[in-house]
Coordinates of all heavy atoms in Angstrom, one line a residue:
H1 N -2.7 -7.5 -0.3 CA -2.9 -8.5 -1.4 C -4.3 -8.3 -2.0 O -4.4 -8.3 -3.3 CB -2.9 -9.9 -0.7 CG -3.2 -11.0 -1.8 ND1 -2.3 -11.5 -2.7 CD2 -4.4 -11.7 -1.9 CE1 -2.9 -12.4 -3.4 NE2 -4.2 -12.6 -2.9
Q2 N -5.4 -8.0 -1.2 CA -6.7 -7.9 -1.8 C -6.7 -6.5 -2.6 O -7.4 -6.4 -3.7 CB -7.7 -7.8 -0.6 CG -7.9 -9.1 0.0 CD -8.8 -9.0 1.2 OE1 -8.4 -8.3 2.2 NE2 -10.0 -9.7 1.2
I3 N -6.1 -5.5 -2.1 CA -6.1 -4.2 -2.7 C -5.5 -4.3 -4.0 O -5.9 -3.7 -5.1 CB -5.5 -3.1 -1.8 CG1 -6.3 -3.1 -0.4 CG2 -5.6 -1.7 -2.5 CD1 -5.6 -2.2 0.6
I4 N -4.3 -4.9 -4.1 CA -3.5 -5.1 -5.4 C -4.4 -5.9 -6.4 O -4.5 -5.7 -7.6 CB -2.3 -5.8 -5.1 CG1 -1.3 -4.8 -4.3 CG2 -1.6 -6.2 -6.5 CD1 -0.1 -5.5 -3.8
A5 N -5.1 -7.0 -5.8 CA -5.9 -7.9 -6.7 C -7.0 -7.1 -7.3 O -7.6 -7.4 -8.3 CB -6.4 -9.1 -5.9
A6 N -7.5 -6.1 -6.6 CA -8.6 -5.2 -7.1 C -8.2 -4.3 -8.2 O -9.0 -3.6 -8.8 CB -9.2 -4.4 -6.0
G7 N -6.9 -4.2 -8.5 CA -6.5 -3.5 -9.6 C -5.5 -2.3 -9.3 O -5.2 -1.5 -10.2
H8 N -5.2 -2.1 -8.1 CA -4.3 -0.9 -7.8 C -2.9 -1.3 -7.9 O -2.5 -2.4 -7.6 CB -4.6 -0.4 -6.2 CG -6.0 0.1 -6.1 ND1 -6.3 1.4 -6.7 CD2 -7.1 -0.3 -5.5 CE1 -7.6 1.6 -6.3 NE2 -8.1 0.6 -5.6
P9 N -2.0 -0.3 -8.4 CA -0.7 -0.7 -8.6 C 0.1 -1.1 -7.3 O 0.0 -0.5 -6.3 CB -0.1 0.7 -9.2 CG -1.3 1.5 -9.6 CD -2.4 1.0 -8.8
E10 N 0.9 -2.2 -7.4 CA 1.5 -2.8 -6.2 C 2.5 -1.7 -5.7 O 2.5 -1.6 -4.4 CB 2.3 -4.0 -6.7 CG 2.9 -4.6 -5.5 CD 3.5 -6.0 -5.8 OE1 3.2 -6.6 -6.9 OE2 4.3 -6.5 -4.9
E11 N 3.2 -1.0 -6.4 CA 4.1 0.0 -5.9 C 3.4 1.0 -5.1 O 3.9 1.3 -4.0 CB 4.9 0.6 -7.1 CG 5.9 1.6 -6.5 CD 6.6 2.3 -7.7 OE1 6.4 1.9 -8.8 OE2 7.3 3.3 -7.4
D12 N 2.2 1.4 -5.6 CA 1.5 2.5 -4.8 C 0.9 2.0 -3.5 O 0.9 2.7 -2.5 CB 0.3 3.1 -5.7 CG 0.9 4.0 -6.8 OD1 2.0 4.4 -6.7 OD2 0.1 4.2 -7.8
V13 N 0.4 0.7 -3.6 CA -0.1 0.1 -2.5 C 0.9 -0.1 -1.4 O 0.7 0.1 -0.2 CB -0.7 -1.3 -2.7 CG1 -1.3 -2.1 -1.5 CG2 -1.9 -1.2 -3.7
R14 N 2.1 -0.7 -1.8 CA 3.2 -0.8 -0.8 C 3.6 0.5 -0.2 O 3.8 0.6 1.1 CB 4.4 -1.6 -1.5 CG 4.2 -3.1 -1.9 CD 5.5 -3.6 -2.4 NE 5.3 -5.0 -2.6 CZ 5.4 -6.1 -1.6 NH1 5.8 -5.7 -0.4 NH2 5.2 -7.3 -2.0
R15 N 3.7 1.5 -1.0 CA 4.2 2.7 -0.5 C 3.2 3.5 0.5 O 3.5 4.0 1.5 CB 4.4 3.8 -1.6 CG 5.1 5.1 -1.2 CD 6.0 5.6 -2.5 NE 5.1 5.8 -3.6 CZ 4.9 6.8 -4.3 NH1 5.2 8.1 -3.8 NH2 4.2 6.8 -5.4
T16 N 1.9 3.2 0.1 CA 0.9 4.0 0.9 C 0.7 3.2 2.2 O 0.7 3.8 3.3 CB -0.5 3.9 0.1 OG1 -0.4 4.5 -1.1 CG2 -1.6 4.4 1.0
V17 N 0.7 1.9 2.2 CA 0.5 1.1 3.5 C 1.7 1.4 4.4 O 1.6 1.5 5.6 CB 0.4 -0.4 3.1 CG1 0.5 -1.2 4.4 CG2 -1.0 -0.6 2.5
A18 N 2.9 1.4 3.8 CA 4.1 1.7 4.6 C 4.0 3.1 5.3 O 4.3 3.2 6.4 CB 5.3 1.5 3.7
M19 N 3.6 4.1 4.5 CA 3.5 5.4 5.1 C 2.3 5.5 6.2 O 2.6 6.1 7.3 CB 3.2 6.5 4.0 CG 4.2 6.8 3.0 SD 3.8 8.1 2.0 CE 2.6 7.4 0.9
L20 N 1.3 4.7 5.9 CA 0.2 4.6 6.9 C 0.6 4.1 8.3 O 0.4 4.7 9.3 CB -1.0 3.9 6.3 CG -2.3 4.1 7.1 CD1 -3.5 3.9 6.0 CD2 -2.5 3.2 8.2
K21 N 1.4 3.0 8.2 CA 1.8 2.3 9.4 C 2.9 3.1 10.1 O 3.1 3.2 11.3 CB 2.4 1.0 9.0 CG 1.2 0.0 8.5 CD 1.7 -1.3 8.0 CE 2.2 -2.2 9.1 NZ 2.5 -3.5 8.6
R22 N 3.9 3.8 9.3 CA 5.0 4.5 9.8 C 4.5 5.7 10.7 O 5.3 6.2 11.5 CB 5.9 4.8 8.7 CG 7.2 5.5 9.1 CD 8.1 5.5 7.9 NE 7.6 6.4 6.9 CZ 7.5 5.9 5.6 NH1 7.7 4.6 5.4 NH2 7.1 6.7 4.7
N23 N 3.4 6.2 10.3 CA 3.0 7.6 10.8 C 1.9 7.5 11.9 O 1.4 8.5 12.4 CB 2.5 8.5 9.8 CG 3.7 8.9 8.9 OD1 4.4 9.7 9.3 ND2 3.8 8.5 7.7
E24 N 1.8 6.3 12.5 CA 0.9 6.1 13.6 C 1.3 7.0 14.8 O 0.3 7.7 15.5 CB 0.7 4.8 14.1 CG -0.3 4.4 15.2 CD -1.8 4.7 14.7 OE1 -2.1 4.5 13.5 OE2 -2.6 5.2 15.6

């Protein structure tokens, strides 16, 4: 939520966070 509010595209944020969590 904070990262999107800072101006980053929501689609990119969702995709990046999902990849980060999925690859632990």
Side-chain angles (χ1 to χ4, degrees):
H1 174 77
Q2 291 173 299
I3 300 170
I4 294 167
H8 294 289
E10 180 173 349
E11 180 183 352
D12 289 340
V13 174
R14 287 186 177 275
R15 187 155 52 119
T16 300
V17 170
M19 288 188 291
L20 197 152
K21 296 171 72 173
R22 186 169 61 242
N23 287 287
E24 185 63 36

